[in-house]
Amino acid sequence: MLSMTLLTKSHVKLPQRGRPRSEESRQSILLGTAAILAERGYEGLSIEAVATKAEVGKQTIYRWWHSKADLVIDALSELAAQQVDIPDTGSVTGDLRELLKNAFFVLTATPSGNAVIGLLVATQRDTRISKVFRERFVEKRRGAVREIFQRGIQREQIRANLDTDLIIDLIYGPMWYRLLVGHAPLDEVFADTLVEQIMVLLKE
C-alpha cells in the first residue's frame, strides 16, 4: 500500500516558476487539498475550502475533478509518487516488512488514514469513484508487491508458481480490516508477524 504518504506542506512540491498556468493551478489545488486533509480530515474537506486555500475558483477545480473523492484520490496519488519508493533490501522478507511498516505508519500516524477511510466509504456509494480508487490508488500498491515478488522469483528466494493476486489479498486484507474495524493495532509487530506468515506461503 504504498501510496500512501505524509500529508504536510513540507512534503509537497510547490509549483515551480515557469510552469504553464494550468499546471501551476493544478499543483496549488493538490497542495491545498493536502493541507486541508492535515488540518480537518476527509469529512472537513470541501471543494469550497480547497478553492479558497489554493486561491482558485471552484470552476477551475471542477474542470479537472468531478468530486471531492476524485480530488483526494489524485492528491494522495501525487504525494505517493513524489515520496514512496518500492523497497529493495535484497530480500523479499525485508522488502515486505519495509513496505508494510511504511503503510501502517502512514495510516495510523498521519491524516492519510482518515482520508483513506473516507474514500472507502465513498466507493460504496458510487461505482465510478470505486473504479477510480482501484485504478489510481489500490492497483499501484498491489503493483508494488508484484514487483517485490518478481525480484524474489528472479533471485530464487520464493517459488515461481504463485497465485499472486491471492497472496496480495492476504497481505492487504488484514491491513484494511484492522484500519476499518480497529480491533487490533497496525504496528511494526503486526507487520513482522504478517510477513512471517506470508513467507511460509511463498516458500512452499
Side-chain angles (χ1 to χ4, degrees):
M1 184 151 137
L2 239 215
S3 145
M4 296 202 209
T5 178
L6 302 181
L7 291 174
T8 60
K9 290 185 179 180
S10 61
H11 288 82
V12 183
K13 292 181 180 178
L14 293 170
Q16 302 287 322
R17 288 187 177 181
R19 285 186 176 179
R21 185 182 181 89
S22 60
E23 177 61 14
E24 183 174 341
S25 295
R26 180 178 176 276
Q27 291 296 321
S28 294
I29 292 166
L30 294 174
L31 175 59
T33 301
I36 293 172
L37 285 173
E39 295 165 3
R40 310 179 196 175
Y42 183 85
E43 293 302 323
L45 184 142
S46 67
I47 297 298
E48 291 79 5
V50 173
T52 299
K53 181 73 92 172
E55 299 181 347
V56 299
K58 287 192 297 182
Q59 68 275 13
T60 300
I61 297 176
Y62 283 118
R63 186 182 307 148
W64 291 309
W65 296 279
H66 294 287
S67 67
K68 177 173 84 169
D70 291 289
L71 177 56
V72 171
I73 290 170
D74 264 13
L76 292 178
S77 298
E78 181 91 357
L79 290 167
Q82 293 176 12
Q83 299 170 21
V84 179
D85 295 321
I86 300 174
D88 188 1
T89 65
S91 73
V92 174
T93 300
D95 291 348
L96 290 177
R97 280 177 175 159
E98 288 299 311
L99 186 73
L100 289 179
K101 286 178 181 179
N102 177 66
F104 292 175
F105 172 80
V106 172
L107 287 174
T108 58
T110 81
S112 288
N114 173 272
V116 169
I117 291 173
L119 288 173
L120 288 171
V121 172
T123 63
Q124 302 308 301
R125 300 171 178 165
D126 188 323
T127 55
R128 184 191 61 78
I129 292 175
S130 178
K131 183 174 182 293
V132 173
F133 183 71
R134 288 196 306 271
E135 292 176 349
R136 295 294 311 279
F137 193 84
V138 174
E139 282 305 317
K140 287 185 178 181
R141 284 142 188 83
R142 293 176 70 87
V145 178
R146 289 191 186 96
E147 182 170 327
I148 290 172
F149 286 172
Q150 289 170 358
R151 289 198 305 244
I153 291 170
Q154 292 171 355
R155 295 167 177 167
E156 298 184 346
Q157 295 173 341
I158 59 176
R159 60 190 176 88
N161 60 331
L162 296 176
D163 186 338
T164 303
D165 285 328
L166 176 59
I167 298 296
I168 293 174
D169 285 345
L170 293 175
I171 291 172
Y172 282 129
M175 180 184 76
W176 294 122
Y177 188 64
R178 290 197 178 199
L179 176 67
L180 292 173
V181 177
H183 68 293
L186 281 174
D187 55 20
E188 292 193 0
V189 173
F190 179 54
D192 289 338
T193 302
L194 181 56
V195 171
E196 181 180 343
Q197 296 300 313
I198 292 297
M199 290 306 300
V200 172
L201 299 175
L202 297 181
K203 292 181 177 180
E204 283 185 351

